[in-house]
Amino acid sequence: MNGAETLVSTLVGQGVDICFANPGTSEMHFLKALENPKMRSVLCLFEGVCTGAADGYYRMKGTPASTLLHLGPGLANGLANIHNARRASSGMVNIVGEHSRAHLKYDPPLTSDIEGLARPLSHWVRTVDSARTVGWDVSAAIATASEKPGRIATLILPGDASWQEAGEPLAAVPHAVARPKAPDVSRVENIARVLRSGEPTLVILAGHATRGRALALAGRLKAAAGCRLATQFFTSRIERGAGRVTLERIPYAVPQALEFLKGFKHIVTVETTEPVAFFSYPDKPSLLKAEGTSVHTLAEPDEDSAAAFEMLLDALGAADATPVLQARLDPIVPTGALNPASIAAALAAALPEQCILVDESLTTGRETMGLTVGAAPHDLINNMGGSIGYGTPVATGAALACPDRRVFCMVGDGSAMYTIQSLWTQAREGLNVTTIIFANNSYAILKAEYANMGAGAPGPQALAMIDIDRPRIDWLAMAKSMGVPAVSVDSADAFHKAMVDSTREHGPTLIEVRL
Amino acid sequence: MNGAETLVSTLVGQGVDICFANPGTSEMHFLKALENPKMRSVLCLFEGVCTGAADGYYRMKGTPASTLLHLGPGLANGLANIHNARRASSGMVNIVGEHSRAHLKYDPPLTSDIEGLARPLSHWVRTVDSARTVGWDVSAAIATASEKPGRIATLILPGDASWQEAGEPLAAVPHAVARPKAPDVSRVENIARVLRSGEPTLVILAGHATRGRALALAGRLKAAAGCRLATQFFTSRIERGAGRVTLERIPYAVPQALEFLKGFKHIVTVETTEPVAFFSYPDKPSLLKAEGTSVHTLAEPDEDSAAAFEMLLDALGAADATPVLQARLDPIVPTGALNPASIAAALAAALPEQCILVDESLTTGRETMGLTVGAAPHDLINNMGGSIGYGTPVATGAALACPDRRVFCMVGDGSAMYTIQSLWTQAREGLNVTTIIFANNSYAILKAEYANMGAGAPGPQALAMIDIDRPRIDWLAMAKSMGVPAVSVDSADAFHKAMVDSTREHGPTLIEVRL
């Protein structure tokens, strides 16, 4: 077995059995090793799709995917979505090809400092020293990526380490299952005292706490202690909809966030930090809590938040409290004009049970996505890193992780153009993704931000850098170019119908929502 | 004046009067400053288009453009084409937005180590410390970018340095014009001895030596000394075609390069190094010269190669030698099937005088682009860094640098998909670019490289990572989606006609060459 074969065998032997790839000459032996029947290889036409898909895969599956990237520039193309994945605590194993060491000293054209490029956004970086060590190296990468929270591991594979003899794979050494740390007892006791005081308290949940057992326990806590439950504006994944415990959402805009938070005497954080503004503005604060609000940590991101909630409920003698669960709102199909409210209503009515909602709707969804909370139960995924172009790749990976669930990817037109190559992979793999393009022909969010920054009203040059209406993107042609059937809608009822139609057949669809 | 206004005023005051931009919230004051009527702002829908366009602009204009990128991920998206520009010695001033320092300490979602991301591929990186210093900082960036060879300068602009009061711009301090160093006399004398010996000598030209006065002088040297003149396989820009001194091209494939180089006793390098293989292969050498060949440097990249040729001609008493100039080959329009030879013949017949040829044709053009050498005089631009997706952005920037010349951008389908968003900017700005997509529905070059690597014939999984034919990309729909008129051709005569037609009207066109 050569180094590349050992690497792939070790990956699949340890449960990393999907690879989002865009190979080049230096990865030909890796390509040959991908013939391993246990590995699923998914070709992406741009590396930002590879890394975003790995993020989406992790969010739904909870275990890392691998990527194959071509030297420094291939890694560079994937970095923006690695940033987003890192901020979402998604684990990922990146394999980056490199020249053989004997060749590197001549500084051939594709040479760059790959470790230097990888380090700012990876938790772990290693260059394979020899084919003989590649099994151990990739095992360490998988173990790192599988920690809680998930981590970015980047392994650089020189050509000679790929093609030289490596010995047998390390399939017998499965990577350690991520075991979160136990919560701190004194912190739990302190928060129990806070809650017993009856002072207004907001519990902010993130990470693993926004789903499953932890979320159900948080519902009991709310019922027993009268606290409120919320998330930051963005969360990596929320289990949401009818029958679930509903979490409020701290607003994005600074004035609204200040207003939301001003009544709380205490903030309790679960796998997150106290609320911070996304951007800084000349005349607005960075920290959003009111003066005098105390912040208490119930669980750090590497701790077991479900266990922390259990301990807290026990301390309060409230283990049997009955949570209030979200009611199913009447799915009333809206008619008439498309606007944020009618769009949200159409979504709430159309979303099928157990669908996955990837939200990069920005302006269109920012104020109204809360209206979908009474839809059928579903998972909601947000962009945690703020780099646009995350939505369509994450939807691609989520659909591969959950082939039996439909993914709705809601994306602004400006964001969609960043990584539009995702559509091709969705068509190639026949993925159940409904891409919803909110076509307002503008980076609309920047118009508001221009004013928020105190820059006044944008002049013609500034507007020319915000509006993307010359030319208007023809989304039906764009979808067709990559083999995805598409439809345009300009009313709320047509939007609803298009979404329902998209669930009737397998494979991807695109809906242009003309705003 | 605030920091952003000072920055833009200083840029235009020192001749950097174009900005390829993709802004975000943290760059709103910069956007306002772009209202400066002396600055041309060009919106790109992805940062890889911004940086590639800046590269193309520099190659034709010889002075740096600026880019505006949104925080670390925006820079990351531009890095692959920054790598290509760096390898082409193109100067560039990147302005990267950053959070205000007061905000950074809270680690908001878009935070990353921007300096760390910039450093591996920039020659110069600085974070603005205060609005008061921004004029000096950007002046230093411009001076660095304007050196010979051109350099990558990356200036990071925190929000507060952007919006705070900065004083007057430094418009009165124009940046130093790049003055190359004088060549080394003893090196010139040594090379004169080599040439007098009559031993077979190859002179390899690059950088500024492949055009203008240096190229004409090289032609005299060849006539006087009987040496041969060549370029590396890739060159940043060559003046070429009828009436010019023709340079041979060292082949890309290692066996052919070895064969080409084996007869030379001496290699003389001009603004380049001795030939090195692009990739390393298990059974092939990295250095391509024959055993016993001596390498002599006539001019380093930061030296004046035209002066070096003059000194050499004087030393040989050959200042008045008459160079052999390329004859205009009969422009015979080919007919029938499309193949590399008929494609090159159609190009040679169709290329109008003073057009610009951006070559990312890979498999389709690799062996045959030499056949276009007898076309009307034109400039040829190659990818120096090897990261695909350089062609369409570079063509965009070249068209903005030379609005009166048509740009032909020859690009493989796989490469074109990397930065296809360029088409939109070409439509928006009405640029005279004819994009020629060689649609073989494959990363075809990898099929040959698979065998070259000793991996044998690709199996079905490997082929699935090489062929991009499921689905086939519909290039007419793709062009339409971004407002570019397009035509498909499946014969050499139709290809020729489409190229000629594209020159008859202003604005962009796309030709799909179906292979």
Side-chain angles (χ1 to χ4, degrees):
Chain A
M1 249 184 198
N2 66 28
E5 288 161 340
T6 300
L7 197 161
V8 173
S9 293
T10 308
L11 282 171
V12 297
Q14 300 189 19
V16 182
D17 55 5
I18 192 163
C19 182
F20 298 100
N22 188 287
T25 295
S26 39
E27 292 84 50
M28 290 297 102
H29 290 86
F30 192 94
L31 218 56
K32 191 181 174 85
L34 287 178
E35 299 286 349
N36 186 318
K38 291 182 188 149
M39 178 62 89
R40 178 164 188 180
S41 310
V42 178
L43 180 60
C44 305
L45 297 186
F46 181 71
E47 292 89 347
V49 180
C50 297
T51 54
D55 181 6
Y57 187 88
Y58 181 93
R59 298 225 207 171
M60 293 312 301
K61 198 92 165 188
T63 59
S66 61
T67 68
L68 176 64
L69 310 171
H70 182 47
L71 299 160
L75 170 63
N77 284 332
L79 283 175
N81 273 333
I82 288 176
H83 167 83
N84 286 330
R86 177 186 169 99
R87 291 281 169 171
S89 299
S90 294
M92 185 185 301
V93 177
N94 299 305
I95 312 292
V96 184
E98 170 61 300
H99 292 304
S100 300
R101 269 122 338 157
H103 193 59
L104 263 182
K105 62 174 172 286
Y106 301 115
D107 193 34
L110 260 166
T111 307
S112 63
D113 175 6
I114 305 180
E115 286 195 7
L117 287 167
R119 216 166 273 125
L121 294 168
S122 303
H123 297 93
W124 181 101
V125 179
R126 185 181 294 175
T127 300
V128 175
D129 190 50
S130 145
R132 293 270 162 200
T133 65
V134 73
W136 294 102
D137 292 331
V138 73
S139 294
I142 297 165
T144 301
S146 306
E147 286 175 18
K148 175 178 188 291
R151 296 197 180 273
I152 309 296
T154 301
L155 184 65
I156 300 163
L157 180 68
D160 48 354
S162 186
W163 68 59
Q164 286 169 358
E165 180 56 33
E168 288 307 301
L170 294 181
V173 187
H175 63 85
V177 174
R179 250 177 314 195
K181 289 187 203 158
D184 182 281
V185 177
S186 66
R187 281 198 258 120
V188 172
E189 283 169 358
N190 166 48
I191 292 166
R193 268 193 300 275
V194 165
L195 289 170
R196 273 191 222 104
S197 76
E199 293 179 332
T201 300
L202 181 69
V203 181
I204 307 177
L205 297 87
H208 289 217
T210 55
R211 48 192 214 252
R213 200 162 61 94
L215 179 61
L217 293 167
R220 290 185 192 201
L221 184 70
K222 178 182 178 183
C227 56
R228 280 163 67 185
L229 305 177
T231 64
Q232 308 280 7
F233 188 74
F234 295 115
T235 302
S236 61
R237 179 180 158 200
I238 310 180
E239 286 178 355
R240 183 173 184 270
R244 263 87 179 253
V245 172
T246 290
L247 307 172
E248 299 178 72
R249 192 178 192 188
I250 301 172
Y252 180 92
V254 173
Q256 286 90 315
L258 296 171
E259 178 66 24
F260 180 91
L261 293 169
K262 76 175 181 192
F264 296 105
K265 190 97 184 84
H266 303 276
I267 286 175
V268 173
T269 61
V270 186
E271 303 193 32
T272 186
T273 62
E274 68 170 294
V276 172
F278 209 89
F279 287 104
S280 53
Y281 304 85
D283 58 351
K284 297 183 177 73
S286 291
L287 290 182
L288 302 173
K289 67 173 185 287
E291 218 181 299
T293 301
S294 310
V295 179
H296 316 271
T297 302
L298 178 62
E300 299 281 5
D302 61 350
E303 294 176 344
D304 184 341
S305 50
F309 277 121
E310 266 175 0
M311 289 159 64
L312 187 54
L313 284 165
D314 281 345
L316 295 169
D320 298 326
T322 306
V324 176
L325 300 181
Q326 176 67 47
R328 179 78 170 99
L329 297 185
D330 272 346
I332 299 167
V333 178
T335 57
L338 285 162
N339 54 51
S342 68
I343 285 169
L347 275 163
L351 294 180
E353 277 210 19
Q354 297 307 326
C355 72
I356 300 163
L357 206 52
V358 176
D359 187 5
E360 194 173 18
S361 60
L362 301 174
T363 313
T364 306
R366 182 171 284 184
E367 308 301 331
T368 49
M369 205 47 70
L371 301 175
T372 63
V373 76
H378 61 275
D379 283 62
L380 175 67
I381 286 175
N382 287 136
N383 185 355
M384 300 298 287
S387 177
I388 64 173
Y390 107 104
T392 64
V394 164
T396 304
L400 280 155
C402 302
D404 299 329
R405 301 171 67 175
R406 178 144 292 258
V407 180
F408 289 81
C409 176
M410 308 186 296
V411 56
D413 43 10
S415 297
M417 281 304 291
Y418 263 57
T419 44
I420 194 62
Q421 303 92 338
S422 308
L423 294 181
W424 183 85
T425 297
Q426 292 172 14
R428 184 178 182 84
E429 302 287 335
L431 303 182
N432 295 322
V433 179
T434 304
T435 299
I436 300 166
I437 305 279
F438 294 119
N440 58 16
N441 309 297
S442 176
Y443 294 115
I445 203 163
L446 295 183
K447 291 185 187 167
E449 292 292 58
Y450 200 90
N452 286 339
M453 278 289 173
Q461 271 307 312
L463 269 182
M465 298 297 104
I466 292 176
D467 284 329
I468 59 173
D469 58 340
R470 288 178 297 114
R472 281 183 72 134
I473 293 159
D474 180 337
W475 287 101
L476 299 185
M478 179 63 80
K480 180 167 186 265
S481 75
M482 287 181 272
V484 172
V487 62
S488 272
V489 299
D490 50 15
S491 72
D493 31 326
F495 176 43
H496 177 267
K497 179 176 184 304
M499 281 191 283
V500 173
D501 288 349
S502 78
T503 65
R504 297 227 166 95
E505 284 183 50
H506 276 280
T509 304
L510 182 143
I511 303 171
E512 180 198 18
V513 178
R514 292 199 173 158
L515 297 172
Chain B
M1 249 184 198
N2 66 27
E5 287 161 341
T6 300
L7 198 160
V8 173
S9 292
T10 309
L11 282 171
V12 298
Q14 301 189 18
V16 181
D17 55 5
I18 192 164
C19 182
F20 298 99
N22 187 287
T25 296
S26 39
E27 291 85 50
M28 290 299 100
H29 291 86
F30 192 94
L31 217 56
K32 189 180 176 85
L34 287 179
E35 299 286 348
N36 186 318
K38 290 183 190 149
M39 177 62 89
R40 178 164 189 181
S41 309
V42 177
L43 181 60
C44 305
L45 297 187
F46 182 71
E47 292 88 349
V49 180
C50 298
T51 54
D55 181 6
Y57 187 88
Y58 182 93
R59 298 225 207 172
M60 294 312 302
K61 197 93 165 188
T63 58
S66 61
T67 68
L68 175 63
L69 311 171
H70 183 46
L71 299 161
L75 170 63
N77 283 332
L79 284 175
N81 274 333
I82 288 175
H83 167 83
N84 287 330
R86 176 187 169 99
R87 291 282 169 170
S89 298
S90 294
M92 185 185 302
V93 177
N94 300 304
I95 312 292
V96 185
E98 171 61 300
H99 292 305
S100 300
R101 271 128 328 164
H103 194 58
L104 264 182
K105 62 173 171 287
Y106 301 115
D107 193 34
L110 259 166
T111 308
S112 63
D113 175 6
I114 305 180
E115 286 196 7
L117 287 167
R119 217 166 271 124
L121 294 167
S122 303
H123 297 93
W124 182 100
V125 179
R126 185 182 294 175
T127 300
V128 175
D129 190 50
S130 145
R132 293 271 162 199
T133 65
V134 73
W136 294 102
D137 292 332
V138 73
S139 294
I142 297 165
T144 301
S146 305
E147 286 175 18
K148 176 180 187 291
R151 298 197 179 272
I152 308 296
T154 302
L155 184 64
I156 300 162
L157 180 67
D160 47 354
S162 186
W163 69 58
Q164 286 170 357
E165 180 55 34
E168 287 308 300
L170 294 181
V173 186
H175 63 85
V177 175
R179 248 177 313 196
K181 288 187 204 158
D184 182 281
V185 177
S186 65
R187 280 199 258 120
V188 172
E189 283 170 357
N190 166 48
I191 293 168
R193 268 194 300 276
V194 164
L195 289 170
R196 275 191 220 103
S197 76
E199 292 179 334
T201 300
L202 181 69
V203 181
I204 307 177
L205 297 87
H208 289 217
T210 55
R211 49 191 214 252
R213 198 162 62 95
L215 179 61
L217 294 167
R220 291 186 190 200
L221 183 70
K222 179 182 177 182
C227 56
R228 280 163 66 185
L229 305 176
T231 64
Q232 309 280 6
F233 189 74
F234 295 116
T235 301
S236 62
R237 179 180 158 200
I238 310 179
E239 287 178 355
R240 182 173 184 270
R244 263 88 179 254
V245 172
T246 289
L247 306 172
E248 298 178 73
R249 191 178 193 188
I250 301 172
Y252 180 91
V254 173
Q256 286 91 314
L258 295 171
E259 178 65 25
F260 180 91
L261 293 169
K262 76 176 181 193
F264 296 105
K265 190 96 184 85
H266 303 278
I267 287 174
V268 173
T269 60
V270 186
E271 302 193 32
T272 186
T273 62
E274 68 169 294
V276 171
F278 209 88
F279 286 105
S280 53
Y281 304 86
D283 59 350
K284 297 183 177 73
S286 292
L287 290 182
L288 301 173
K289 68 173 185 287
E291 218 182 299
T293 301
S294 308
V295 180
H296 315 272
T297 302
L298 177 62
E300 298 282 4
D302 61 350
E303 292 176 347
D304 184 340
S305 49
F309 277 121
E310 266 175 359
M311 290 159 64
L312 187 54
L313 283 164
D314 281 344
L316 293 170
D320 298 326
T322 306
V324 176
L325 300 181
Q326 176 67 46
R328 178 78 169 97
L329 295 185
D330 272 346
I332 298 167
V333 177
T335 56
L338 285 161
N339 55 50
S342 68
I343 286 169
L347 276 162
L351 294 180
E353 277 210 18
Q354 297 306 327
C355 72
I356 299 163
L357 205 51
V358 177
D359 187 4
E360 194 173 18
S361 61
L362 301 174
T363 312
T364 306
R366 181 171 286 185
E367 308 301 332
T368 49
M369 205 46 70
L371 301 175
T372 63
V373 77
H378 61 274
D379 284 63
L380 175 67
I381 286 175
N382 287 134
N383 185 355
M384 300 298 287
S387 177
I388 64 174
Y390 105 106
T392 64
V394 164
T396 303
L400 280 156
C402 302
D404 299 329
R405 300 172 65 176
R406 180 144 289 259
V407 180
F408 288 81
C409 177
M410 309 186 297
V411 56
D413 43 10
S415 297
M417 282 303 291
Y418 264 58
T419 44
I420 193 63
Q421 302 92 339
S422 309
L423 294 181
W424 184 85
T425 296
Q426 291 171 15
R428 183 179 184 83
E429 302 288 334
L431 303 182
N432 295 323
V433 179
T434 304
T435 299
I436 300 167
I437 305 279
F438 294 119
N440 57 15
N441 308 297
S442 176
Y443 294 114
I445 204 165
L446 295 184
K447 290 184 188 169
E449 292 292 58
Y450 200 89
N452 287 340
M453 277 289 173
Q461 270 308 310
L463 269 181
M465 297 297 103
I466 293 176
D467 284 328
I468 59 172
D469 58 340
R470 289 176 297 114
R472 281 182 73 134
I473 293 159
D474 180 337
W475 287 101
L476 300 185
M478 179 64 80
K480 179 166 187 265
S481 75
M482 288 181 271
V484 172
V487 63
S488 271
V489 298
D490 50 15
S491 72
D493 30 325
F495 176 42
H496 176 268
K497 179 176 184 305
M499 281 191 284
V500 173
D501 287 349
S502 78
T503 64
R504 296 225 166 96
E505 285 183 49
H506 276 282
T509 304
L510 181 144
I511 303 171
E512 179 198 18
V513 178
R514 291 201 172 156
L515 298 172

